[in-house]
Amino acid sequence: MKSFLFLTLLAAAGLQSFCQQLNIIPQPVSVKLNSGTFTITNKTVFVVNDAEAGKSADFFNAYLENIYGFKLAKGSAQPGNYIKLVTKKNIEKPSSDAYNLVVAPMGVTISGDTYSGIFYGIQTLIQLLPVTKNVSLKIPAVSIADSPRFIYRGMMLDVGRHFFPVSVVKKYIDYIALHKMNYFHWHLTDDQGWRIKIKKYPLLTEVGSTRNGTIIGHFPGTGNDHIKHSGFYTQEEIREVVKYAADRFITVVPEIEMPGHAEAALTSYPWLGCPGTGPYKVEETWGVFNNVFCAGKDSTFQFLQNVLDEVLQLFPGPYIHVGGDECPKNNWKLCPLCQARIKAEELKDEHGLQSYFIQRMEKYINSKGRKMIGWDEILEGGLAPNATVMSWRGEQGGIDAAKQNHDVIMTPGGWVYFDHAQVQKDDSLTIGGYLPVEKVYGYEPIPKELNTEQAKHVLGGQANLWTEYISDPSKIEYMIFPRMSALSEVLWSPKKQRSWILFEPRLKQQFKRYDLWKSSYSKATLTNTLTRKKIKGKK
Ligand code: ACM
Ligand code: ZN
C-alpha cells in the first residue's frame, strides 16, 4: 500500500512538473512535450483558408495586439514561420469541438473537426505564450489532442439587478472564450430592471429600466441611496453582442423571467398583474416579490408571446430561457381570473397553474423551432414536455429531470454561484455563502444517483453571477476569477485527469495571465494554501 502511495505521488510529481511547464487551463486530454521551440514574431504568417477560420486568427491577433503590441499578417505558408489553421474530418475521437495542435520548430498547425475546434486550439496556443510581454514569443514544441467532456459550458450574467454596458458584456464574453466555454446566459429582466428594448412595448424600457434608488449595504440595508439606476440594450446593441459571441463560437441564451421576478414589467404595464394588486414599482431592494404576471388573463400570454417574437428575432440560438423560479402564489390565490383558470383547466392548485403557464409558453417556443430552458421550479406541478432544466437549488431538480428523460444543466448554488464569498469572512459585500475555488474545482456535474443513460441528459454546467451586490465591472472579474478557471476544467477536461494538486500550480500561472489582462481577481486561494500548509506543519 505504502509503495503504491509512493508511486502515485511520484507520478503526480512528474506530471506536476510537466504541467507547470505548460500551465494550460482547462487541462487538455493529451499533451506530448517534444524537443525544440517555435518563436512567434511579427514576421510569422497566419495561413487561413477561409473566412470562418479567419475568426480564430482574428481573435488571436486581437489578443497579440492587446497584450504584446503586434499582430500577424495572413498569407501563404512560409517555411519555418507560420501558424496554419485547417479543418479536418478525420480526428480520431470525433467531436464537433475536437482539435489537434502541433507546435514544431517549423511552425504551428491547428486542425479542428470544425471551426469551433480550431477556435479552441487557438485558446490553447494563447496559453502557451509567455506571460511576460515581448516582441518575440517562444513557445515549446508540443502535440496536443483535445476535446471537451461536456457540450454545455456556460456562464450567466445578471444585468437586471445592475446594468452593465455592452463593453463590459463583451469583455465577459471574451473571458468565456478564453476558457473554452460556449454559452453566455444573459439574465435580461428582473424585478429591479427590464434591460432589453421591445419595440411593441416601449414602456418596458422607458419605465421598467429605471429604479429610483437602491438599498445601502446588505439586505435589508441601512437605508436607500435614492440614486436612479438605469440602463437597457437597444436591439442594435443586442445584435452586436450576439454577433460578437458568435464570432467566438459562443451561443447567447436570453432569459426573460416569468411568471415571477416580473415587477419591472408590471410597473411598465400594470394590466399584466392580477386585478386588485399593485401599485407596482421597479424594486429598490432584493428578494422575492409577490407581484407576478397574472396567469388568468389571455392578454398576459399574448404580451409574452409578442415579447418573445422580438427576442426570437434577436437571438438565433436554440434556447430561450423563461426563468420560472421563485414565483410566489399569493396573488394567484386571491385572483378570480387565476382561480377561474385553475377551474377551467382542471388544475390541482397554484403549482398546477405555474406548470400550465410554463407549458403554454413552451408550446409557443417549440412552435417557433426553439427549445425552452427554465430553473428547476418548472418541475413543480409537472414538467413541460420538452423543457431543459437548470438545477440551481442543489442537484435534486437536475436528478429528477434527468430521470424523466429531460436535458439538464447543472448550476447548483453550493458549487457554482459565483456571487458567494471566496473567503470565510466576506472581503467585500456579497450575498453570503462561502464558495472557495477548491470547492468549485471539486464539483462533479454528473450526480451519482443517475445511471449511464440518465447521465447523458446532463449537458454540462454553468456558473451564475447574480449582481445584487455587484455594480462595478472590476467586481465582476473579482467574483469570477479564479473560480471560472476552475469550472472551465470541470466542464472541459476528462474526469479522471482532474486533480487539485496538479491544478493549483497551473492556477498560479493563470494569475499571471489575469495580470496580463489587467483583470481583477481573488487571491484567496493563496491565503487558503498558506493556511493549509501552516496547519499541516503543526501536526
Ligand atoms: C435563482 O437563483 N433564483 C435561479
Ligand atoms: Zn391573476
Side-chain angles (χ1 to χ4, degrees):
M1 189 63 193
K2 257 188 191 160
S3 63
F4 171 75
L5 192 67
F6 177 72
L7 284 174
T8 310
L9 284 173
L10 204 66
L15 256 173
Q16 186 171 10
S17 63
F18 174 71
C19 291
Q20 269 170 342
Q21 287 177 58
L22 295 180
N23 296 303
I24 301 164
I25 295 177
Q27 179 65 23
V29 172
S30 141
V31 180
K32 193 167 156 279
L33 197 54
N34 302 323
S35 59
T37 57
F38 175 74
T39 303
I40 300 173
T41 69
N42 62 0
K43 301 281 185 306
T44 305
V45 175
F46 245 127
V47 184
V48 184
N49 291 333
D50 56 62
E52 195 65 12
K55 287 179 184 171
S56 292
D58 292 344
F59 187 92
F60 188 77
N61 261 339
Y63 188 90
L64 275 189
E65 197 162 33
N66 182 29
I67 306 288
Y68 302 98
F70 70 95
K71 61 179 187 174
L72 314 182
K74 290 179 194 156
S76 46
Q78 309 239 330
N81 210 355
Y82 61 85
I83 299 174
K84 194 158 78 178
L85 307 182
V86 289
T87 47
K88 186 171 135 184
K89 297 284 174 219
N90 60 350
I91 286 185
E92 245 172 61
K93 182 171 168 275
S95 148
S96 62
D97 289 336
Y99 71 90
N100 283 353
L101 165 65
V102 178
V103 179
M106 290 297 287
V108 177
T109 305
I110 297 175
S111 44
D113 264 17
T114 59
Y115 296 111
S116 50
I118 289 179
F119 188 74
Y120 298 128
I122 284 287
Q123 303 317 314
T124 299
L125 182 60
I126 282 175
Q127 298 215 345
L128 295 176
L129 300 174
V131 288
T132 42
K133 294 187 181 219
N134 209 326
V135 290
S136 109
L137 306 171
K138 195 193 273 191
I139 56 176
V142 285
S143 307
I144 292 176
D146 201 10
S147 61
R149 179 176 173 206
F150 290 104
I151 58 169
Y152 188 108
R153 307 177 300 279
M155 289 291 295
M156 183 277 266
L157 180 65
D158 166 19
V159 295
R161 275 49 177 269
H162 280 102
F163 173 79
F164 296 97
V166 165
S167 59
V168 173
V169 175
K170 284 182 172 175
K171 210 167 176 191
Y172 197 77
I173 288 171
D174 276 332
Y175 292 142
I176 293 174
L178 286 161
H179 287 83
K180 301 191 178 89
M181 295 169 98
N182 61 350
Y183 281 90
F184 169 50
H185 170 176
W186 206 358
H187 183 83
L188 285 163
T189 71
D190 218 302
D191 300 300
Q192 297 83 2
W194 182 285
R195 308 288 178 211
I196 173 174
K197 170 87 179 178
I198 300 295
K199 290 183 179 163
K200 194 170 175 68
Y201 301 111
L203 298 184
L204 284 171
T205 41
E206 281 170 29
V207 173
S209 72
T210 302
R211 63 172 179 265
N212 288 325
T214 304
I215 60 159
I216 298 166
H218 203 276
F219 179 86
T222 54
N224 187 307
D225 65 12
H226 300 294
I227 299 168
K228 274 190 199 307
H229 181 83
S230 203
F232 67 90
Y233 307 101
T234 66
Q235 296 203 346
E236 291 69 35
E237 285 174 323
I238 297 264
R239 282 201 182 87
E240 186 186 327
V241 168
V242 168
K243 181 180 181 323
Y244 191 84
D247 284 349
R248 287 151 181 76
F249 301 90
I250 291 164
T251 302
V252 185
V253 179
E255 182 182 354
I256 307 295
E257 275 269 23
M258 62 188 83
H261 287 291
E263 194 145 357
L266 269 54
T267 311
S268 311
Y269 294 100
W271 53 265
L272 290 165
C274 291
T277 63
Y280 312 116
K281 69 168 184 179
V282 182
E283 283 296 344
E284 296 167 20
T285 185
W286 319 123
V288 172
F289 301 91
N290 285 336
N291 291 324
V292 304
F293 287 116
C294 178
K297 297 175 187 168
D298 282 334
S299 53
T300 301
F301 293 96
Q302 194 54 57
F303 166 87
L304 287 169
Q305 287 177 11
N306 291 340
V307 167
L308 288 187
D309 282 346
E310 293 190 33
V311 169
L312 289 161
Q313 288 296 314
L314 294 168
F315 296 91
Y319 293 115
I320 303 293
H321 199 308
V322 296
D325 59 321
E326 299 178 320
C327 178
K329 310 296 186 288
N330 308 44
N331 289 1
W332 290 0
K333 279 186 181 147
L334 298 172
C335 170
L337 302 178
C338 286
Q339 291 304 313
R341 175 85 71 193
I342 290 175
K343 215 164 166 200
E345 298 291 335
E346 298 178 2
L347 306 171
K348 193 160 160 262
D349 54 14
E350 287 74 24
H351 290 297
L353 187 56
Q354 152 118 357
S355 175
Y356 166 86
F357 196 115
I358 298 292
Q359 293 204 30
R360 188 161 164 175
M361 294 314 299
E362 179 180 68
K363 211 180 242 173
Y364 190 71
I365 290 167
N366 287 169
S367 78
K368 302 289 175 185
R370 310 293 184 92
K371 298 188 228 184
M372 187 192 74
I373 300 183
W375 299 111
D376 59 51
E377 284 93 331
I378 67 169
L379 280 145
E380 288 166 14
L383 206 43
N386 306 308
T388 298
V389 171
M390 267 188 184
S391 190
W392 74 278
R393 296 174 302 174
E395 297 188 290
Q396 196 55 49
I399 293 166
D400 293 344
K403 285 186 173 171
Q404 293 175 42
N405 293 323
H406 282 255
D407 284 347
V408 167
I409 296 155
M410 285 298 190
T411 71
W415 285 273
V416 288
Y417 264 43
F418 287 0
D419 55 342
H420 293 188
Q422 304 191 66
V423 285
Q424 292 275 15
K425 195 169 158 11
D426 288 4
D427 53 355
S428 65
L429 189 62
T430 73
I431 200 153
Y434 172 48
L435 178 60
V437 62
E438 294 92 325
K439 187 169 178 197
V440 176
Y441 192 78
Y443 180 58
E444 170 47 40
I446 306 277
K448 57 183 178 328
E449 289 85 348
L450 299 182
N451 66 30
T452 311
E453 275 313 298
Q454 292 161 347
K456 287 182 187 158
H457 285 293
V458 179
L459 304 182
Q462 172 178 288
N464 296 331
L465 192 67
W466 302 104
T467 59
E468 286 94 335
Y469 299 102
I470 302 173
S471 56
D472 182 339
S474 78
K475 181 132 181 222
I476 291 182
E477 295 171 346
Y478 183 78
M479 297 307 278
I480 63 174
F481 293 144
R483 294 183 286 198
M484 178 181 183
S485 300
L487 181 64
S488 76
E489 189 148 311
V490 170
L491 296 175
W492 180 282
S493 306
K495 184 182 173 188
K496 64 177 183 331
Q497 270 174 231
R498 203 146 27 102
S499 152
W500 173 258
I501 293 171
L502 300 182
F503 179 72
E504 210 178 11
R506 279 184 285 129
L507 190 54
K508 287 193 185 129
Q509 189 77 354
Q510 186 75 359
F511 283 4
K512 293 182 186 159
R513 292 191 190 108
Y514 302 149
D515 288 333
L516 268 188
W517 304 343
K518 298 191 175 66
S519 306
S520 169
Y521 59 97
S522 166
K523 299 181 180 76
T525 184
L526 298 176
T527 321
N528 294 346
T529 309
L530 284 176
T531 314
R532 268 201 310 273
K533 277 186 182 148
K534 254 191 208 158
I535 293 167
K536 254 191 186 165
K538 267 190 186 163
K539 274 187 189 167

